[in-house]
Amino acid sequence: MGALSGLGLLARRQLRTSWGATAALGVVAFLAAGVLSTAPRAVATMHADQVAYEAATASGLARDVISVAGAVPGAAYGMPPGMRPDSEGLAGTPPEPDWAPFLANLDTVRAETPEPLRSVMGAPDFHVTAQDPALTEPVPRSELAEAKVFLRASPDLAEHGELVEGRWPAATPGPTYEENGEGPADPAPPFEVAVSRAVADAYGWDVGGRYDAIAGGGVVRLAERYPALVVTGVFETGDPDADYWLHHSLGARASVIADPNRGLLGTAAVYVSPAMIAPLTLGFADTRVWYPVDTDGVTAADVPVLLSQVNGQSAQTFLVPAGPDDLAPMQLRPDSRLSEILERLLAQRTGVDAIVAVLAVGPLGATVAVLALGARLVVDRRRPALALLRARGASGAQLRLLMGGEGLVVGLGSAAAGFVAGLVLAAATGIDAPVTAGQVVLALAAGLAPAAALALATSPGGLRTTRADLAPRSRSRVRWVLEVLVVAGAVLAAWLLLSRGVVAGSGAGGGTGVDPLVAAAPLLVSLAVTLLAYRAYPWLALAAERALAPRRDLVPFLGAARATRDPAGGPVPAIALVLAVAVAATSAVLYSTVSGGVVREAWRATGADLRVSGPVVDEQVAEQIGGIDGVTAVTPVGDVGDGLLRGGGSSPRVEVWTVDAAELAVAQQDVEGAPESLPGLAAGADGGDGGGDGDAALPVILTRGAAGPGVGPGITGITLATQEGSVPVEIVDVVDELPGLPAGRALVVAAADRLEAATGDHAYARVGLVGLTGTADRDAVTAEISRLLPSSVLEDPDQEADAVLAAPVSGGLAAAFVLAVLLAGLLCAAAVVMTLMLAAPARARLLAVLQTLGLSSRQARGLVGWEIGPWAGVALAVGAVLGVVVPELVLAAVDVTALTGGPAQPDAEYDPLLLGAAAAGFVVVVLAGVGVAAALSRRGEVAAQLRMGSND
């Protein structure tokens, strides 16, 4: 007990008198505990925010649980009881159906669904719509050539539509039938409908207006039974793009299509009384049921389970009766595109977690190296006291216990403070993921790390100072074995990753954790390359020493000699510096790759500065758009349909598209991935104008999906067969894809005028690609195109890319890159400071002697630079190599297409500006560390150092 009390007293005295080095270990523990406990919560919150973001940006049609059944609720044989043709009272007014039990039974299906899907599904809703449209006589002032209507009944229309004119429709009497039942004897009076304001305006209808039904689709023969309809009410829908109205397609607004041959063709939904839907359609109607999906509260951990439940639900059939006496329950098979969202979320999560793990292992390894350096620095400062204790009989275990206790006191307190600081920071930044036991364990490990590092660094046999080049070689083979194992492990891990290839992370059965191989391989490769550089370093330093020996100036030769004979810190600072540079370079490359992939995919999907879709983009429309200030080119893109490429040993089915080749070449002049052979579509591969002769070969560009084996430019004997005819083709080019056209398809692209001259095929283009000048006002051009084509959809690639990069997962990944670089910089500075502080005593004695011989301050600073400069140069070179190797390993194993939005895995991108900034930052950090170390050393008392040296 007395010995332990004495050790405790000595520990307290050491902490009071020489606390700087130990405090550095405390700072490392503080930062490690804060990051290790906060970063996992930040990643979990990011994934949860991404779930909400994906669901919020998707429409109800893309996420709700939907089922469609070809029946009317409660209508056996398509008609309600008492209203069938074989019953009496058919000519009467049908009764109002009671759909409340049907809704209750639909809700029972939801209530019996397991969690978390049950909480995601909202209250059910439905409507009943005729399977076939009816034709009405167009009103002249509507300018419609055709006016189709779908009859629809909805139980809650009045709750979502605001009646502004008239009243809601009511049930009306039906027709009277001949006694033989062959047909109606007397048609029914006009049935009542309500329409939205947008539909009324498009069709030219007014409240109270009667409009004739001239035909009915299928077997319904509506015009024979109900020859007219009357509009009794007009309602406002509010937002026509709200989820409710998206399920009520054509209800909020009509679809008006401009057919070049027939004119304006209108299609809309009109609402009848629920009592009328069965008599009007004779039961040939579809009941559309949907459960609104709300993913608020869904965490990233719920996504795999939720995906499995959604897929399982879509494989089931539910029998839902309309009431207690329903003998023919409706068969519902729910389906939801929510599974696509969840699969995309899982793929994003896998990619992000893998990248974050790769970014994390670098700072983690550097932190271990800094802890080892800090422990050596503390032991070095305690060396005289520890040597005295050893000389007076203290055992090695007691010395380790003394130093470990010192680290335990500092480490646990600092880790606790770091954990609390992480909680405060998380609360301030909106990180609401719960604290887990694993995060507490990580913070505790950060608190215990200083104690372990100090205990391991306290070696009773190493309390005497020796010069590295004069110390006897260790006969232990442990270090060599460990180094060989690290190199072999790096080679094996890299080989496994490269041979396995990219593994997608989506699917209900896919794993959601971090692949240990993906996380370990970059660290093993970094350690292996660092060890190889460390082993080569003495030979490089010796070569530099010999090369500098003939020089007359002292500093370069002396610096190289000291780097060879007594390198400060050994391999530990090398590992810390190399990992720091590798993390910064890897972060820069991966950030450039992901963000560049997003931008590139946005341009590939859009195909030009602007993409116009929706209405027909014919030559007249193209000329109008081309006349807008700032527009350089406009090309209509038409879909001719399917065709066959005959010859070349196979006859693949292809999609035939047409463009204005000359305009497309201008519009895609600066678009990455656009083939340079586009002008050849108009001129042919030989540069001729091709003329308009139908017998001449048609120049085409093929995607690789359309080109069979051995098919390429210059191949003859290939014929394109379309719906209108066939023509021999001249293959101008074979490309992977064409920007602006569907990806991953078998496409044949030809000039529109030449294809029409050769086969007679003419496509009404509904897509236009617009090229802009570099100084064009995009907003003004977009506004003018919207004025010319009000129903068009405009896509801007820059806006599409910004929308993807604004997602929580993209912002979180960017934050992870920045945090990794900041941590790498801090650890780099700490490694530099500690390395220089370790060498401070020997340097002080050397400078004291040299300064008495006339060494200047500038030369003294040069010697300090030689202590860390060679290692910094090695770290910069090796880190640059790892900045190339590690991203290639990551992209060879991790599927990042869910992050970029593209179909193909992107190649690594190396941004010179970012990489140059990372290198410059590393140099600045090293210089700052040198400055801090110089300020902390305070060793300018030459006489004191000489007196100390005289006692050695």
Side-chain angles (χ1 to χ4, degrees):
M1 290 295 295
L4 291 177
S5 175
L7 290 175
L9 179 62
L10 178 61
R12 289 194 299 271
R13 182 174 299 174
Q14 290 183 152
L15 284 174
R16 286 196 304 266
T17 58
S18 181
W19 54 269
T22 308
L25 291 179
V27 172
V28 174
F30 175 88
L31 292 175
V35 172
L36 290 175
S37 61
T38 306
R41 297 180 61 207
V43 172
T45 301
M46 176 191 65
H47 288 311
D49 291 344
Q50 185 67 16
V51 173
Y53 177 84
E54 289 280 356
T57 54
S59 66
L61 298 178
R63 67 173 185 270
D64 293 348
V65 178
I66 303 170
S67 181
V68 179
V72 179
Y77 309 106
M79 296 289 288
M83 289 301 297
R84 293 191 295 273
D86 59 352
S87 65
E88 298 179 358
L90 184 63
T93 302
E96 192 75 15
D98 183 12
W99 282 342
F102 181 63
L103 272 173
N105 291 332
L106 288 175
D107 195 60
T108 300
V109 173
R110 182 188 66 85
E112 294 176 352
T113 302
E115 291 287 0
L117 182 56
R118 179 171 66 246
S119 297
V120 168
M121 296 169 59
D125 203 348
F126 75 96
H127 64 67
V128 185
T129 305
Q131 293 177 350
D132 299 308
L135 289 173
T136 64
E137 187 70 38
V139 176
R141 65 187 176 94
S142 69
E143 299 183 356
L144 294 177
E146 180 181 83
K148 291 181 180 179
V149 294
F150 281 92
L151 306 179
R152 178 175 296 160
S154 176
D156 58 352
L157 177 64
E159 300 176 14
H160 296 274
E162 180 184 357
L163 191 66
V164 293
E165 291 186 50
R167 60 176 175 81
W168 295 112
T172 57
T176 58
Y177 286 83
E178 298 285 354
E179 293 183 1
N180 57 13
E182 292 184 357
D186 295 315
F191 63 93
E192 299 179 353
V193 301
V195 296
S196 68
R197 170 61 67 190
V199 171
D201 293 341
Y203 275 46
W205 288 355
D206 299 314
V207 172
R210 169 177 170 152
Y211 306 99
D212 294 335
I214 59 177
V219 298
V220 176
R221 296 161 58 186
L222 180 67
E224 297 181 13
R225 299 178 294 111
Y226 293 87
L229 61 85
V230 60
V231 178
T232 63
V234 174
F235 58 89
E236 292 283 359
T237 61
D239 182 8
D241 294 321
D243 290 342
Y244 179 86
W245 294 112
L246 291 178
H247 285 290
H248 285 249
S249 61
L250 302 175
R253 53 193 171 196
S255 169
V256 179
I257 298 176
D259 189 297
N261 296 323
R262 302 170 59 193
L264 298 178
L265 308 180
T267 308
V270 299
Y271 291 84
V272 301
S273 167
M276 294 297 296
I277 192 64
L280 286 169
T281 64
L282 298 181
F284 291 94
D286 290 330
T287 298
R288 181 186 181 91
V289 178
W290 71 93
Y291 296 85
V293 167
D294 184 2
T295 58
D296 287 347
V298 175
T299 64
D302 296 330
V303 171
V305 178
L306 188 59
L307 175 59
S308 177
Q309 292 176 350
V310 170
N311 290 336
Q313 186 187 62
S314 64
Q316 301 182 52
T317 299
F318 298 89
L319 299 179
V320 183
D325 300 327
D326 190 358
L327 300 179
M330 188 172 294
Q331 297 184 9
L332 298 180
R333 188 165 185 173
D335 191 19
S336 176
R337 291 171 58 190
L338 179 64
S339 58
E340 299 176 9
I341 298 175
L342 297 175
E343 288 175 355
R344 185 165 60 250
L345 286 169
L346 279 181
Q348 291 172 346
R349 177 180 175 184
T350 301
V352 169
D353 288 351
I355 292 176
V356 170
V358 171
L359 296 178
V361 294
L364 184 61
T367 300
V368 173
V370 169
L371 280 174
L373 275 176
R376 289 181 58 186
L377 182 60
V378 173
V379 171
D380 188 69
R381 293 294 184 265
R382 306 283 191 265
R383 190 181 302 276
L386 293 175
L388 180 60
L389 289 174
R390 181 65 174 171
R392 300 189 63 178
S395 65
Q398 288 177 318
L399 295 181
R400 290 189 175 92
L401 181 63
L402 171 65
M403 299 305 297
E406 180 179 343
L408 194 65
V409 171
V410 175
L412 288 179
S414 300
F419 185 78
V420 173
L423 295 178
V424 174
L425 179 62
T429 54
I431 298 175
D432 54 3
V435 178
T436 64
Q439 295 162 12
V440 176
V441 171
L442 289 176
L444 180 61
L448 296 176
L454 285 173
L456 292 174
T458 306
S459 173
L463 296 179
R464 295 185 60 185
T465 304
T466 58
R467 213 174 75 182
D469 59 327
L470 298 181
R473 284 187 178 271
S474 173
R475 296 183 179 180
S476 173
R477 299 179 180 177
V478 175
R479 173 178 291 185
W480 283 99
V481 171
L482 290 177
E483 291 180 3
V484 170
L485 288 177
V486 168
V487 174
V491 173
L492 179 62
W495 178 77
L496 289 175
L497 280 183
L498 295 176
S499 61
R500 186 179 65 179
V502 178
V503 178
S506 63
T512 56
V514 176
D515 188 346
L517 184 60
V518 174
L523 180 60
L524 288 174
V525 170
S526 300
L527 289 177
V529 174
T530 303
L531 288 175
L532 293 176
Y534 174 72
R535 288 302 178 185
Y537 176 78
W539 300 98
L540 297 176
L542 182 60
E545 177 186 351
R546 292 175 177 174
L548 295 172
R551 296 184 53 163
R552 299 181 60 185
D553 47 344
L554 173 67
V555 172
F557 168 73
L558 184 57
R562 295 190 69 234
T564 303
R565 301 175 185 181
D566 197 11
V572 178
I575 293 175
L577 293 178
V578 168
L579 289 178
V581 176
V583 166
T586 301
S587 299
V589 173
L590 290 179
Y591 174 78
S592 301
T593 301
V594 174
S595 59
V598 169
V599 174
R600 185 171 54 255
E601 175 57 26
W603 277 91
R604 188 213 63 78
T606 306
D609 294 303
L610 289 176
R611 178 186 180 92
V612 184
S613 58
V616 174
V617 184
D618 53 18
E619 293 183 4
Q620 182 180 358
V621 173
E623 290 178 1
Q624 291 176 335
I625 297 176
I628 300 174
D629 185 27
V631 175
T632 59
V634 181
T635 174
V637 180
D639 182 5
V640 175
D642 290 344
L644 290 176
L645 274 181
R646 295 171 179 167
S650 62
S651 299
R653 183 173 295 276
V654 296
E655 299 177 25
V656 184
W657 291 76
T658 60
V659 296
D660 184 328
E663 292 288 298
L664 182 61
V666 176
Q668 293 189 341
Q669 187 173 4
D670 297 325
V671 177
E672 183 177 352
E676 298 180 357
S677 55
L678 283 175
L681 290 179
D686 58 359
D689 60 9
D693 187 359
D695 295 332
L698 174 70
V700 296
I701 293 179
L702 309 181
T703 61
R704 300 203 182 278
V711 175
I715 299 298
T716 59
I718 308 296
T719 301
L720 173 64
T722 64
Q723 297 177 359
E724 298 295 331
S726 62
V727 61
V729 298
E730 174 189 356
I731 301 175
V732 175
D733 199 357
V734 176
V735 298
D736 293 326
E737 59 184 10
L738 286 163
L741 295 183
R745 306 270 192 89
L747 305 182
V748 175
V749 181
D753 54 347
R754 299 196 62 170
L755 179 64
E756 185 172 8
T759 64
D761 285 282
H762 178 75
Y764 295 101
R766 296 193 177 276
V767 173
L769 302 182
V770 182
L772 304 178
T773 63
T775 58
D777 187 343
R778 287 178 175 265
D779 294 336
V781 174
T782 301
E784 185 62 20
I785 295 177
S786 298
R787 187 190 65 80
L788 292 174
L789 304 173
S791 61
S792 65
V793 176
L794 289 173
E795 298 174 65
D796 185 327
D798 292 335
Q799 293 180 358
E800 298 293 326
D802 291 343
V804 175
L805 294 175
V809 69
S810 299
L813 200 56
F817 290 138
V818 173
L819 180 61
V821 172
L822 291 178
L823 288 176
L826 290 175
L827 294 170
C828 177
V832 170
V833 172
M834 291 181 179
T835 301
L836 294 178
M837 293 296 291
L838 272 173
R843 183 194 321 119
R845 290 191 294 270
L846 176 63
L847 290 179
V849 174
L850 294 178
Q851 285 175 351
T852 59
L853 300 176
L855 188 73
S856 66
S857 299
R858 181 165 110 21
Q859 290 175 313
R861 288 193 296 270
L863 284 177
V864 176
W866 268 95
E867 290 182 0
I868 198 63
W871 278 128
V874 170
L876 197 58
V878 175
V881 172
L882 293 175
V884 174
V885 174
V886 172
E888 293 291 347
L889 283 176
V890 173
L891 294 175
V894 180
D895 183 9
V896 298
T897 56
L899 301 176
T900 61
Q905 183 82 339
D907 296 327
E909 293 189 17
Y910 303 93
D911 188 339
L913 293 178
L914 281 179
L915 293 175
F922 172 74
V923 173
V924 170
V925 168
V926 170
L927 293 178
V930 172
V932 172
L936 293 176
S937 295
R938 300 184 181 278
R939 50 186 181 277
E941 194 175 341
V942 176
Q945 295 296 338
L946 291 175
R947 286 195 300 271
M948 292 173 60
S950 64
N951 294 329
D952 291 343

